[in-house]
Amino acid sequence: EVRVVASGGGLVQPGGSLRLSCSASGFIFSNYAMHWVRRAPGKGLECISGISNKGVETYYADSVKDRFTISRDNSKNTLNLQMSSLRPDDTAVYYCVKGWGRLLPDSFDIWGQGTMVTVSS
Amino acid sequence: SYELTQPSSVSVSPGQTARITCSGDALPIKYAYWYQQKSGQAPVLVIYEDTNRPSGIPERFSGSSSGTMATLTISGAHVEDEADYYCYSIDSNANPRGVFGGGTKLTVL
């Protein structure tokens, strides 16, 4: 069974940092692009960052550029999102998503259950 | 930046056909994908590459695309189809990041 499981969410103060991780199983991780998509309360889905299968290419939404960093470890089947300078409008459920193909641009295949990030003092 | 436009809400009675549209300038040359998100759950892919249905998705879900508009059709909607639906696609400018439409709340009652 293809699974992606995100972890690392929680409550953080504005200006703080948080690292999300995603553990993948049931597929050849190194063959697929991976993504982080979020949904803020009362808002729609936003694809905020993605990385190609070998990690050569990445993208970031303007809303998180220069604050978030995506990375992957194909030897451990793990995807990460390092978030810094967090703001209240970063409050959202963050989904780890398996891509449809290897490269970018890409679309989204299997979604994890999501991890909640709350930025508040 | 590229935008996909969806109606904010669609409402049908059970058994009726629901149609959700998505308009975007690049849709004549780029595929549309459709995701269903029920309350409190993760999104699920229901249509890929304009018209294809993943395994496990009921046959009442279908997709089409013509010109700058893609359409998700639910033929004979069930109460359990009530959810938010999002279209997704990429623009024509070699942008590595795609975009979602704003989402459509489907009410079946």
Side-chain angles (χ1 to χ4, degrees), chain A residues 37 39 43-48 57-62 95 100 104-109 111-114, chain B residues 33 35 37-38 40-45 48-49 54 84 86 88 90 94-102:
Chain A
V37 177
R39 185 172 184 186
K43 300 286 186 66
L45 296 174
E46 180 186 20
C47 43
I48 58 168
E57 189 176 22
T58 61
Y59 70 78
Y60 298 92
D62 288 345
Y95 296 99
W100 193 259
L104 305 177
D106 189 27
S107 58
F108 311 116
D109 184 12
W111 299 63
Q113 86 290 357
Chain B
Y33 299 76
Y35 298 89
Q37 186 174 31
K38 296 182 178 179
Q41 299 183 21
V44 172
L45 176 68
Y48 65 96
E49 294 178 349
D84 294 324
Y86 295 88
Y88 170 87
I90 59 177
N95 189 332
R97 176 178 175 260
V99 293
F100 286 102

Side-chain angles (χ1 to χ4, degrees), chain A residues 48-119:
Chain A
I48 58 168
S49 189
I51 187 167
S52 59
N53 66 318
K54 299 297 187 187
V56 172
E57 189 176 22
T58 61
Y59 70 78
Y60 298 92
D62 288 345
S63 56
V64 306
K65 198 171 295 183
D66 300 325
R67 300 188 299 122
F68 290 12
T69 302
I70 192 171
S71 62
R72 65 188 297 160
D73 185 337
N74 286 347
S75 68
K76 297 181 179 179
N77 290 358
T78 300
L79 175 74
N80 299 298
L81 185 69
Q82 180 67 47
M83 305 186 295
S84 61
S85 302
L86 283 162
R87 311 185 300 222
D89 63 359
D90 293 317
T91 295
V93 177
Y94 285 73
Y95 296 99
C96 169
V97 192
K98 172 185 174 291
W100 193 259
R102 298 172 185 257
L103 303 176
L104 305 177
D106 189 27
S107 58
F108 311 116
D109 184 12
I110 303 298
W111 299 63
Q113 86 290 357
T115 187
M116 182 71 201
V117 173
T118 303
V119 184

Side-chain angles (χ1 to χ4, degrees), chain B residues 15-78:
Chain B
Q16 288 188 325
T17 295
R19 293 183 179 85
I20 299 172
T21 58
C22 172
S23 63
D25 289 342
L27 290 178
I29 58 172
K30 297 297 182 183
Y31 287 126
Y33 299 76
W34 291 93
Y35 298 89
Q36 174 197 67
Q37 186 174 31
K38 296 182 178 179
S39 181
Q41 299 183 21
V44 172
L45 176 68
V46 294
I47 294 290
Y48 65 96
E49 294 178 349
D50 288 346
T51 62
N52 298 292
R53 194 174 54 249
S55 61
I57 301 301
E59 291 184 6
R60 63 181 180 272
F61 288 87
S62 64
S64 62
S65 187
S66 177
T68 59
M69 185 169 288
T71 302
L72 172 69
T73 300
I74 308 172
S75 302
H78 293 192

